Amino acid sequence: MAFQRGDDLDQEAVNERVDTAIDEHEVVLFMKGNELMPQCGYSDRALGLIGQHREEFETVDVLESLDEYRVALERHSGWETTPQTFVDGEFVGGSDVLAELDERGDLETTLATG
């Protein structure tokens, strides 16, 4: 079964979703797919790394309007690729950055909020 992109959200709606998710959640992962069915290896890796250290965090599936999410995320991070992780409103990075933090033993501290 091939995945069909939705492209059903306009740029303003996606900007608002991204802004709200970053503002309202301590840890948010913008990813391809969701926690039950990641749609790329990088998203799956980021999900697993965060899940090792946090029980509760938000995920946002960017596939419903991928191009718009790329624009919206770049406004916050300077990156248009996914996955992207934000903690307390600050951009942390993608799966490679999370893996580096984990290898150094810093990921748990990075994901701790408050």
Side-chain angles (χ1 to χ4, degrees), residues 8-114:
D8 57 354
L9 297 173
D10 66 21
Q11 190 63 60
E12 186 175 328
V14 172
N15 288 349
E16 186 174 319
R17 283 186 178 195
V18 168
D19 294 347
T20 299
I22 291 171
D23 289 343
E24 291 184 356
H25 300 283
E26 292 176 343
V27 176
V28 61
L29 172 64
F30 294 91
M31 62 181 284
K32 292 179 180 171
N34 61 48
E35 60 274 0
L36 298 176
M37 195 181 310
Q39 296 295 311
C40 82
Y42 295 111
S43 292
D44 187 41
R45 183 178 185 199
L47 188 65
L49 287 163
I50 295 170
Q52 289 176 23
H53 301 288
R54 286 197 59 102
E55 287 185 28
E56 293 186 24
F57 59 97
E58 185 70 14
T59 62
V60 176
D61 182 356
V62 302
L63 288 174
E64 64 184 335
S65 292
L66 186 58
D67 292 336
E68 289 79 7
Y69 272 101
R70 286 180 173 153
V71 170
L73 288 167
E74 188 173 14
R75 291 175 39 239
H76 288 277
S77 66
W79 290 14
E80 61 178 41
T81 58
T82 54
Q84 290 191 24
T85 306
F86 291 81
V87 177
D88 288 332
E90 298 294 322
F91 176 60
V92 173
S95 61
D96 291 344
V97 172
L98 295 177
E100 288 173 21
L101 289 168
D102 193 47
E103 287 173 19
R104 292 195 317 244
D106 295 333
L107 185 57
E108 184 173 12
T109 303
T110 299
L111 294 173
T113 60

